[in-house]
Amino acid sequence: SWGKGHAQLPETLTVSPLLPQIIQTQLSQQAGIKVRATTKAPLLSVRLDRRLSGREAYRLSVGPRGMQLLARDSSGLLQGGQTLLQLVGQYGRRLPQLSITDSARFAWRGIMLDVSRHFMSADFIIQLLDEMARYKMNRFHWHLVDGGGWRFPSDKYPLLTKKAAWRTLADWDSWWQHDRRFVDEGTPRAYGGAYTKDDIRRVVAHAARLGITVVPEIELPGHSNELPAAYPELTCKGKWTFDATDVCIGRESTFRFFEDILDEVLELFPSYYIHIGGDEAAMNHWGSCPDCRARMKQEGLKDEHELQSYVIRRAEKMLAKYGKKLIGWDEILEGGLAPTATVMSWQGEKGGIQAANMGHDVIMTPGSGGLYIDHYQGDPKIEPVAICCYSTLEKVYSYNPIPEAIAPDKRHHIKGAQANLWAEYLYTTPLMQYRAFPREIALAEAVWTPLEKKNYKDFERRLDNA
């Protein structure tokens, strides 16, 4: 609601110490003023008020005698702070008198970035986090490993970043269709990269200051053709082959490997959720592998789908020891879903509907709903090459994460939605930014705003003025 008149920000703005430090810093930088925390009659008073209703709720008021930010919790303080930064970005130091009461529709408002197929630096990730926070997105799903290269640093398995993080070609199509070989770190003209533990600590710490949870993904049992470049014993063939995309499930050494890796992941990532992939296993060697056949007989598994489910259930138990919760792509439904798993529904909404109706938590990410923002957003004749398909701005904005096919008493299992940026054709950082924006902003509003208040034409108008 709008008041009358304006309020001028002074050269030194006094604020309550409760205003998050990162908001204080950004406010100083954006407004070109000094910001000083004080408990003595600050111009911007900040306090918690549990009476505010709604997820991450806040109320921001700009009046003739000062400003006030009330928030239900620490997340609400950050979101209200971001709104204040938006106002300063639009109006400068002369703010209109107004009152904004706001809260989030969904708890999970995310973006996934694949850094395996094309590597993105930690500095760039931090820039992306800043933009996510600006639009109140709060989950960064970091797809750290895949067939394009292993990016996670491991002390226990150092060959992963020495032999499986660098490949012969940067061009994805040429490499994936005809080569798929990895080379040692330091090889001339090799393409790739890996993060250090300090890189990850820096990203996780910055995200935490912004109220963003970093959810790591360590892919198993498929999408793993980088692993035999470093540790060939993890595959059924015991060597690198062009089509070796799955790990061997029959050998206990495979599970020791993943348990060791997850131990190292949990040292760096405090997230309650850990993503283990679980999608698109080729299953092309399991049927002929003596170890996998023995495992199936021993565990009474009737087919390869149940063998994959066995892997997911064991991974779930590994994480449960630490009080963590497993997330997987919707293929983890095949062969039986692990009891406490959360499903990320990407193959349309069917998997998410099934999982929610079974009583499992779900995050919606369907390409059919426009949430694969690596797809074209315009005419392919003039757009940079993409993997396929269309994901227009309006389609992303219009997406509703709760399908009608979910029973009304199960709809609370839909935790939110995220946009996915797969990196087959993200050759450069500017190209990644072009794919992400403005569609990421459209999803941010789609998962924050109440369904009845969404208005695409109004969104377009405001986006043009941003």
Side-chain angles (χ1 to χ4, degrees):
S1 60
W2 296 93
K4 296 180 179 179
H6 294 79
Q8 183 74 26
L9 294 183
E11 292 290 340
T12 297
L13 174 66
T14 54
V15 302
S16 298
L18 198 56
L19 186 69
Q21 182 59 54
I22 196 162
I23 300 295
Q24 294 184 38
T25 300
Q26 292 177 334
L27 186 57
S28 175
Q29 293 170 346
Q30 189 161 316
I33 60 176
K34 293 179 180 179
V35 174
R36 181 169 60 85
T38 180
T39 57
K40 296 180 179 179
L43 189 63
L44 171 56
S45 67
V46 181
R47 63 182 175 89
L48 296 177
D49 186 344
R50 304 292 180 186
R51 293 171 298 177
L52 287 173
S53 63
R55 183 180 289 111
E56 300 172 54
Y58 68 90
R59 179 176 297 131
L60 176 65
S61 302
V62 179
R65 289 180 294 277
M67 298 179 289
Q68 183 181 63
L69 174 60
L70 305 178
R72 182 177 177 84
D73 52 26
S74 58
S75 295
L77 290 176
L78 283 163
Q79 307 305 0
Q82 289 293 343
T83 295
L84 178 58
L85 291 171
Q86 289 177 341
L87 290 172
V88 172
Q90 183 171 356
Y91 296 103
R93 290 170 56 183
R94 190 169 181 262
L95 300 181
Q97 294 180 22
L98 49 73
S99 178
I100 297 171
T101 302
D102 203 6
S103 62
R105 183 184 178 201
F106 290 102
W108 188 291
R109 308 181 301 277
I111 188 166
M112 185 224 73
L113 180 62
D114 164 21
V115 295
S116 171
R117 292 171 178 84
H118 283 95
F119 182 69
M120 304 283 173
S121 71
D123 287 341
F124 171 73
I125 301 294
I126 285 173
Q127 291 176 357
L128 178 61
L129 292 170
D130 286 338
E131 293 306 312
M132 288 177 62
R134 189 188 311 277
Y135 301 107
K136 300 182 172 63
M137 301 191 87
N138 65 353
R139 297 290 188 277
F140 175 58
H141 173 179
W142 204 354
H143 190 80
L144 285 161
V145 304
D146 204 310
W150 183 281
R151 312 299 180 201
F152 178 76
S154 171
D155 292 333
K156 294 179 181 177
Y157 298 92
L159 296 184
L160 290 169
T161 51
K162 293 183 183 301
K163 292 183 172 292
W166 302 87
R167 63 186 193 235
T168 53
L169 296 169
D171 181 85
W172 174 258
D173 280 335
S174 297
W175 181 79
W176 184 250
Q177 299 299 331
H178 308 295
D179 194 337
R180 300 192 189 179
R181 289 177 299 148
F182 290 87
V183 295
D184 289 357
E185 181 182 11
T187 300
R189 295 182 297 280
Y191 173 81
Y195 301 103
T196 65
K197 291 193 173 186
D198 282 344
D199 286 335
I200 290 176
R201 291 188 188 102
R202 189 159 60 95
V203 167
V204 170
H206 189 69
R209 288 190 290 271
L210 293 166
I212 296 172
T213 300
V214 182
V215 179
E217 181 178 354
I218 300 295
E219 183 86 30
L220 64 94
H223 281 278
S224 299
N225 61 289
E226 82 282 15
L227 291 180
Y231 296 97
E233 64 272 19
L234 292 171
T235 65
C236 294
K237 296 288 186 180
K239 62 181 180 179
W240 180 91
T241 61
F242 185 81
D243 65 345
T245 62
D246 301 340
V247 295
C248 179
I249 301 175
R251 298 178 196 147
E252 276 302 303
S253 56
T254 300
F255 293 95
R256 286 195 296 272
F257 168 80
F258 279 114
E259 188 151 20
D260 289 342
I261 290 296
L262 288 174
D263 284 347
E264 293 188 280
V265 167
L266 296 180
E267 288 175 8
L268 294 170
F269 293 94
S271 171
Y272 173 56
Y273 291 98
I274 305 294
H275 205 301
I276 54 78
D279 63 313
E280 295 185 325
M283 307 183 188
N284 54 336
H285 296 308
W286 293 346
S288 59
C289 171
D291 294 314
C292 289
R293 291 203 308 272
R295 176 78 71 188
M296 291 174 69
K297 182 176 180 181
Q298 176 187 350
E299 300 293 334
L301 307 173
K302 69 173 186 269
D303 59 22
E304 284 84 352
H305 292 295
E306 289 194 0
L307 187 61
Q308 169 159 309
S309 179
Y310 170 80
V311 177
I312 305 303
R313 289 172 188 269
R314 284 194 62 170
E316 179 189 44
K317 290 176 182 176
M318 292 178 197
L319 293 171
K321 288 191 309 182
Y322 300 96
K324 303 292 185 177
K325 191 164 185 178
L326 178 149
I327 300 182
W329 302 106
D330 54 46
E331 284 94 333
I332 67 173
L333 285 156
E334 299 168 5
L337 186 56
T340 65
T342 294
V343 171
M344 201 165 263
S345 188
W346 73 276
Q347 298 181 100
E349 295 179 328
K350 181 180 178 182
I353 293 168
Q354 179 185 348
N357 283 331
M358 290 168 61
H360 288 263
D361 288 347
V362 173
I363 297 124
M364 285 296 193
T365 68
S368 59
L371 301 193
Y372 269 43
I373 58 174
D374 55 316
H375 291 172
Y376 287 109
Q377 53 187 325
D379 187 345
K381 295 186 180 115
I382 57 173
E383 281 250 310
V385 65
I387 193 164
C388 74
C389 320
Y390 284 98
S391 177
T392 64
L393 188 66
E394 184 171 10
K395 188 174 186 179
V396 177
Y397 184 87
S398 302
Y399 183 68
N400 177 16
I402 302 181
E404 289 294 323
I406 297 176
D409 65 333
K410 302 292 186 182
R411 291 178 182 177
H412 65 279
H413 286 295
I414 302 297
K415 297 304 177 184
Q418 75 178 28
N420 291 337
L421 263 174
W422 298 104
E424 286 90 344
Y425 302 101
L426 299 185
Y427 295 111
T428 64
T429 297
L431 185 53
M432 180 270 162
Q433 293 168 328
Y434 173 73
R435 293 286 185 220
F437 297 98
R439 289 179 291 185
E440 179 191 326
I441 306 172
L443 180 66
E445 184 158 319
V447 290
W448 178 276
T449 303
L451 187 62
E452 66 276 9
K453 290 185 179 291
K454 286 170 59 177
N455 182 318
Y456 179 70
K457 290 299 181 185
D458 185 61
F459 169 75
E460 268 193 333
R461 176 187 62 78
R462 288 179 284 110
L463 186 66
D464 285 344
N465 288 320

